[in-house]
Amino acid sequence: KAGVTQTPRYLIKTRGQQVTLSCSPISGHRSVSWYQQTPGQGLQFLFEYFSETQRNKGNFPGRFSGRQFSNSRSEMNVSTLELGDSALYLCASREVGEKLFFGSGTQLSVL
Amino acid sequence: GNSVTQMEGPVTLSEEAFLTINCTYTATGYPSLFWYVQYPGEGLQLLLKATKADDKGSNKGFEATYRKETTSFHLEKGSVQVSDSAVYFCALIGNDYKLSFGAGTTVTVRA
């Protein structure tokens, strides 16, 4: 099976722009969750989707949103980018149980 | 809410040295505990896990025991190798099914 695929791998944006990141889970996995990794804050949970419904949400502002499609692929959108949004965004998928499989991440730089 | 605290790095060791990374947690109920590893340029991988008190997770020579009385899940390896150089994250999933991470500990092993 192919692993979790995240695109793009690297992204450079300027303040005020918006960005969309994509995540394709492992085939058969219906849950996709998103995390933000920064040197200062470590790994923080953004949200989790299961069968196209948001099941859990972390403590991020409304500028961060996501969705999941019927094929379980997920997108994460960040609007009105700020410098502090520069981070590695990780996506993980799972089916039953707790074992998460992570993608390699999208490195977002906001200038 | 749930939280994970792990020892700050960076940690630098010589090959064959003993490694310990401390991890303590705060959670209601009975969380599942995990150690994830992130090798340079790669995404996160599950290293080991424990789902109930006194369980010992082990993998690749690493071990961690779920200690409910001290709310700890310290990671240990008796003899590290250069290939163990990575960032290690302690994590838990609580009753809310959200994954909470520690800040990460960077480990560098020198030949």
Side-chain angles (χ1 to χ4, degrees), chain B residues 1-3 25-32 66 68 71 92-96:
Chain B
N2 300 331
S3 67
Y25 67 89
T26 301
T28 54
Y30 300 91
S32 294
Y66 189 146
K68 189 154 180 65
T71 61
L92 71 81
I93 288 181
N95 296 339
D96 57 3

Side-chain angles (χ1 to χ4, degrees), chain A residues 86-103:
Chain A
S86 295
L88 178 68
Y89 290 88
L90 290 165
C91 160
S93 75
R94 62 178 166 169
E95 187 42 31
V96 296
E98 301 157 330
K99 184 171 182 178
L100 288 168
F101 295 83
F102 283 85

Side-chain angles (χ1 to χ4, degrees), chain A residues 45-61:
Chain A
F45 171 75
L46 280 154
F47 28 65
E48 180 182 15
Y49 287 86
F50 183 86
S51 294
E52 302 180 66
T53 301
Q54 188 179 85
R55 185 160 69 172
N56 255 319
K57 191 177 189 302
N59 298 320
F60 277 80

Side-chain angles (χ1 to χ4, degrees), chain A residues 16-77:
Chain A
Q17 287 187 308
Q18 68 94 27
V19 66
T20 300
L21 311 182
S22 179
C23 173
S24 294
I26 290 173
S27 177
H29 286 192
R30 289 177 289 169
S31 164
V32 173
S33 50
W34 289 89
Y35 302 84
Q36 182 195 63
Q37 184 178 354
T38 59
Q41 299 293 324
L43 269 163
Q44 296 185 89
F45 171 75
L46 280 154
F47 28 65
E48 180 182 15
Y49 287 86
F50 183 86
S51 294
E52 302 180 66
T53 301
Q54 188 179 85
R55 185 160 69 172
N56 255 319
K57 191 177 189 302
N59 298 320
F60 277 80
R63 299 185 298 107
F64 291 80
S65 63
R67 58 179 177 168
Q68 187 179 32
F69 301 96
S70 58
N71 62 357
S72 292
R73 190 177 69 85
S74 177
E75 288 182 347
M76 190 192 90
N77 186 77

Side-chain angles (χ1 to χ4, degrees), chain B residues 1-23:
Chain B
N2 300 331
S3 67
V4 177
T5 303
Q6 63 182 97
M7 65 183 278
E8 292 186 19
V11 174
T12 303
L13 302 164
S14 298
E15 256 189 329
E16 299 183 4
F18 184 86
L19 170 68
T20 299
I21 304 176
N22 289 341
C23 171

